[in-house]
Amino acid sequence: MRVAQLAKAAAVSSETVRHYTDLGLLRPTRNPDNRYQQYSNADLQRLRFIARARRLGFSLKDTQQIISSADNGHAPCAEVRDLLRERLTALQMHIEECQRLALVMQNAFNDWADKDDCAPDSQAICRLIEEFEPQIERRPATPCPAH
């Protein structure tokens, strides 16, 4: 299979295939006639594994570590469970923080609904933010990072 065929079979982009190849996660051979990279069914299986691991929340670094363990003959399943436990705990904490932030934002939105708009001046940029005091917590809210 060539890059585009492998990408289509695994439902990923050709750029993803090239990136994983550059990282050494996929190991194509070269066609001796045209020097194109040729991917095997084993590469397709590995690419599907990587895509599934990513959808489960594993980072690319985690996935590389899991594959490396397997390539070295070690069963990575215990490691996978440990990583998943860590990711799940972090995700649950992130969800709680996002819920707190959503409540802060909802309160701000409700508080600001009837306030007049005012132009920036030498004293303020946006009085809505500058005069805002969160009602549920006194610590600053942090935005949820994109995944």
Side-chain angles (χ1 to χ4, degrees):
M1 281 177 276
R2 292 187 24 202
V3 171
Q5 294 166 317
L6 180 66
K8 184 176 181 180
V12 299
S13 69
S14 294
E15 291 79 17
T16 297
V17 172
R18 288 185 190 96
H19 181 63
Y20 293 168
T21 300
D22 290 344
L23 293 174
L25 292 169
L26 302 174
R27 297 186 188 118
T29 58
R30 290 274 178 193
N31 182 320
D33 297 330
N34 58 22
R35 303 294 295 154
Y36 289 148
Q37 291 180 323
Q38 292 293 123
Y39 293 89
S40 66
N41 285 332
D43 289 313
L44 175 58
Q45 181 183 1
R46 182 171 281 203
L47 183 56
R48 286 178 174 159
F49 174 84
I50 295 167
R52 286 181 183 124
R54 301 285 288 141
R55 283 192 297 271
L56 273 169
F58 291 102
S59 69
L60 194 51
K61 183 179 176 184
D62 294 337
T63 306
Q64 287 174 300
Q65 184 178 339
I66 293 164
I67 289 173
S68 176
S69 292
D71 285 348
N72 290 322
H74 304 290
C77 295
E79 181 181 355
V80 168
R81 278 191 291 272
D82 290 344
L83 285 169
L84 186 61
R85 184 181 306 112
E86 290 174 20
R87 298 300 175 272
L88 181 57
T89 300
L91 179 61
Q92 288 168 331
M93 291 171 50
H94 179 71
I95 289 169
E96 290 171 8
E97 181 64 24
C98 287
Q99 288 172 331
R100 283 191 293 274
L101 178 57
L103 187 54
V104 168
M105 293 173 99
Q106 185 63 54
N107 288 340
F109 185 76
N110 293 340
D111 289 346
W112 297 348
D114 297 328
K115 291 191 177 182
D116 294 329
D117 294 342
C118 45
D121 58 29
S122 62
Q123 302 297 315
I125 297 169
C126 178
R127 293 199 188 281
L128 294 175
I129 293 174
E130 291 162 344
E131 294 173 359
F132 178 68
E133 287 295 329
Q135 295 174 1
I136 62 168
E137 293 187 44
R138 290 297 176 210
R139 67 185 178 122
T142 55
C144 298
H147 177 67

